[in-house]
Amino acid sequence: MKGVVFTEFLEMVENRFGLETLDQIITQARLDNDGAYTSVGTYEHQELVKLVAALSGTTGVAAPDLIKAFGEHLFERFALGYPQLFQGVTSAFDFLRCIEHYIHVEVRKLYPDAELPSFAYEDHGPDSLVMIYQSRRPFADLAEGLILGCVAHYGEPIDVRREDLESGANNRSRFTLVRRRP
Ligand code: HEM
């Protein structure tokens, strides 16, 4: 996993839980690099899982909730860091429909060794979008947080439902987004 994900995660931990908690989880996670990540480096994704487990132990917040909150935070950081990817995209559904064939394609140009999930889409009319996450890594919680972050970014009344279809060597989850009509 790219270092940018780790640097953003550690920054969120410091801002929300403080420097002491940050130091504590880096020690507890027993990382090879003592928490020194560069944004362009590449690291084992298990290190993020270890950091989240340590943060969960320290704060008492369930690990999936921490990863989801991180996803929401990360989306806002991406919006600030990659404004060019948002140009001309005016709704959450439009943005989310672009991930597979545009956003992550551009990400791969920036970081050729990025380990990205894949998304398949099912369209059910203007008020609903189904996207199926698939990855060898177990980050459906991150996908959920990023989706929620995207919905919050565009400020639209959209409900997100998740069904986990597969977990283990392959991970698949279906997200059903439905626009609420007044
Ligand atoms: C501007 C928007 C986005 C940017 C710049 C971006 C970029 C990235 C980057 C750099 C990674 C790390 C790759 C690696 O670790 O090697 C990543 C992974 C990931 N992205 Fe995106 N992404 C964006 C939007 C989204 C959205 C909206 C979703 C929501 C579904 C998403 C889902 C994921 C997931 C779940 C991963 C973790 C890897 C995995 O599950 O296999 N991304 N993305």
Side-chain angles (χ1 to χ4, degrees):
M1 181 161 261
K2 295 309 299 178
V4 60
V5 177
F6 289 89
T7 54
E8 291 296 345
F9 179 76
L10 296 179
E11 198 179 290
M12 182 193 81
V13 172
E14 184 177 345
N15 290 340
R16 293 202 188 166
F17 301 101
L19 200 52
E20 207 178 311
T21 302
L22 178 67
D23 286 342
Q24 224 174 334
I25 68 163
I26 287 172
T27 310
Q28 275 172 14
R30 297 175 184 277
L31 308 167
D32 295 337
N33 59 1
D34 284 331
Y37 295 98
T38 70
S39 60
V40 291
T42 302
Y43 308 88
E44 292 293 321
H45 72 267
Q46 283 88 346
E47 292 194 7
L48 187 64
V49 176
K50 282 191 210 162
L51 283 163
V52 170
L55 184 62
S56 175
T58 305
T59 61
V61 181
D65 291 338
L66 290 169
I67 301 182
K68 270 184 254 176
F70 172 52
E72 292 183 58
H73 165 85
L74 191 59
F75 189 87
E76 265 321 295
R77 299 291 299 163
F78 283 159
L80 290 171
Y82 304 89
Q84 69 280 16
L85 298 179
F86 289 77
Q87 262 169 27
V89 185
T90 54
S91 76
F93 281 1
D94 281 355
F95 188 90
L96 294 169
R97 279 196 194 100
C98 288
I99 301 171
E100 177 72 7
H101 298 293
Y102 175 56
I103 308 284
H104 277 171
V105 174
E106 293 300 309
V107 169
R108 186 168 301 291
K109 289 183 196 163
L110 290 172
Y111 307 112
D113 58 347
E115 297 175 323
L116 297 164
S118 74
F119 287 95
Y121 300 91
E122 292 169 14
D123 252 312
H124 297 281
D127 289 335
S128 141
L129 173 70
V130 172
M131 46 196 292
I132 296 160
Y133 162 88
Q134 179 162 338
S135 176
R136 283 186 312 205
R137 292 160 296 283
F139 289 123
D141 291 321
L142 187 64
E144 186 174 347
L146 284 159
I147 291 170
L148 293 171
C150 180
V151 167
H153 177 83
Y154 286 98
E156 292 176 90
I158 293 173
D159 292 325
V160 180
R161 201 179 75 225
R162 166 174 160 194
E163 293 154 78
D164 291 329
L165 307 173
E166 219 178 304
S167 66
N170 193 32
N171 299 276
R172 258 182 349 119
S173 296
R174 177 192 283 116
F175 294 96
T176 305
L177 288 77
V178 178
R179 190 186 305 282
R180 284 195 302 277
R181 287 287 175 193

